[in-house]
Amino acid sequence: VDELRQALAAKEEHVLQLEQQLQQLREVSAVDRQADAPSEPVSRLQQEVLELRRARGEDAAALDEAQRALHEAERTEQRYLEVARENRKLRQDLSALEDEGFWQEIETLQQRNEQATSLVRESKEALERMAPAAAMDVTSLVARLEVFAAPAA
């Protein structure tokens, strides 16, 4: 990209020089000639200026394309880094799943949940038997215990 910018700047400088020469030749030709046809040096310089302008336009387009490609490469590199970070995190998560201690902890939690569910059922039944004798309204508590003790869908 920097090389293209330098080449474009050099061509622009050359175009300016040729335009100055062309202007000088026109001034000299206007004084020296009687005919309306431009002199050969003026025509040659006009053609060279046109070619350089065309080349400068092509270089500017190439520079724009190079800048777009550079930005695209930078975005691609950024996305690659994001994917690499995500990949590392997923690998860490996967290694945690492969850890035997993790699965033992899950089994322990499941066993404790089963014990808690059993204890809730027994407590619910005991409350239902004792509530009428104690003249207590435990319907709300019993309903919540039923929801807790219900099997997961």
Side-chain angles (χ1 to χ4, degrees):
V1 173
D2 289 335
E3 292 173 8
L4 287 173
R5 283 188 184 133
Q6 291 172 352
L8 185 60
K11 285 184 181 179
E12 287 177 9
E13 180 65 31
H14 193 210
V15 166
L16 290 175
Q17 290 172 356
L18 287 175
E19 286 175 341
Q20 288 174 350
Q21 288 177 5
L22 183 59
Q23 184 61 32
Q24 290 170 353
L25 280 174
R26 282 184 186 149
E27 291 169 1
V28 169
S29 292
V31 172
D32 290 346
R33 68 184 154 90
Q34 298 296 326
D36 289 338
S39 67
E40 184 180 325
V42 171
S43 296
R44 184 183 51 78
L45 278 177
Q46 285 176 331
Q47 183 63 31
E48 193 173 343
V49 166
L50 287 174
E51 289 174 13
L52 283 172
R53 284 182 180 159
R54 182 191 52 76
R56 181 179 60 186
E58 290 173 0
D59 287 349
L63 179 59
D64 289 344
E65 182 60 31
Q67 286 177 331
R68 278 191 292 277
L70 178 62
H71 291 304
E72 184 62 31
E74 288 171 347
R75 283 193 301 269
T76 300
E77 179 184 14
Q78 184 64 32
R79 180 63 185 136
Y80 169 78
L81 292 174
E82 290 172 7
V83 168
R85 271 193 301 273
E86 187 176 323
N87 193 15
R88 277 194 302 276
K89 177 150 180 19
L90 289 173
R91 286 182 192 207
Q92 289 172 347
D93 292 346
L94 184 59
S95 70
L97 291 176
E98 292 172 353
D99 181 19
E100 185 62 31
F102 172 79
W103 292 109
Q104 287 176 348
E105 186 175 336
I106 294 293
E107 287 178 20
T108 301
L109 288 171
Q110 287 174 336
Q111 289 172 356
R112 291 190 54 95
N113 182 51
E114 289 171 8
Q115 291 170 353
T117 302
S118 176
L119 187 59
V120 164
R121 280 190 204 109
E122 291 173 25
S123 298
K124 177 186 150 287
E125 291 169 3
L127 277 172
E128 288 174 332
R129 282 191 311 267
M130 290 188 255
M136 294 175 52
D137 183 21
V138 291
T139 53
S140 171
L141 179 58
V142 168
R144 290 192 343 240
L145 289 172
E146 280 181 16
V147 170
F148 184 84

